[in-house]
């Protein structure tokens, strides 16, 4: 199970001020001032001083272009990283178990009813 996830938007200012941190072991999306969207898989990028270096892709609505290079922090608007929603995941698992138990109880009661009254 991968769980329920969402993309958390992290502002560049929060990263540079130390209020938020980029997790290098997670996928990273970033958007630049010219509306270019970059995508990097886990461990394919690094941040040194005020520049992000990596091997990834430039994505738009129709084309994915390979990218190998650097993006200056001055050009970045925001970052996005996938986060797991533990509450939603537990709710989903609990719901699946509850439905399974309900179906099992209904099937058992139908079988028991047929055994007692075979007509």
């Amino acid at each position: 199970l991968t769980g329920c996830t969402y993309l958390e938007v992290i502002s560049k200012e929060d990263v540079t001020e130390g209020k938020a941190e980029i997790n290098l072991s997670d996928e990273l999306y970033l958007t630049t001032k010219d509306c270019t969207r970059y995508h990097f898989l886990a461990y394919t990028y690094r941040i040194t001083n005020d520049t992000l270096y990596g091997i990834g892709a430039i994505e738009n609505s129709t084309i994915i272009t390979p990218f190998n290079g650097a993006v200056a922090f001055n050009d970045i608007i925001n970052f996005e990283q996938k986060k797991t929603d533990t509450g939603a995941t537990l709710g989903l698992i609990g719901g699946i178990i509850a439905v399974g138990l309900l179906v099992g109880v209904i099937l058992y009661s139908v079988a028991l009813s047929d055994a007692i009254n075979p007509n």
Side-chain angles (χ1 to χ4, degrees), residues 8-99:
E8 178 184 33
V9 177
I10 306 165
S11 74
K12 176 186 71 172
E13 290 77 21
D14 285 348
V15 173
T16 56
E17 294 171 5
K19 295 178 184 174
E21 191 172 303
I22 302 295
N23 186 349
L24 300 177
S25 64
D26 287 337
E27 286 182 75
L28 177 70
Y29 295 87
L30 66 89
T31 305
T32 57
K33 292 177 181 176
D34 65 355
C35 296
T36 303
R37 184 171 167 90
Y38 294 83
H39 177 216
F40 299 95
L41 297 175
Y43 303 109
T44 62
Y45 60 94
R46 71 181 195 285
I47 299 172
T48 305
N49 297 327
D50 59 352
T51 305
L52 184 140
Y53 301 90
I55 300 170
I58 298 173
E59 299 182 349
N60 67 35
S61 60
T62 57
I63 300 171
I64 296 176
T65 307
F67 173 80
N68 184 359
V71 181
F73 260 59
N74 288 338
D75 294 333
I76 297 171
I77 296 173
N78 64 33
F79 301 94
E80 296 175 52
Q81 283 198 301
K82 287 185 180 176
K83 298 292 178 187
T84 302
D85 188 344
T86 306
T89 302
L90 292 176
L92 177 63
I93 291 170
I96 291 170
I97 290 171
V99 168

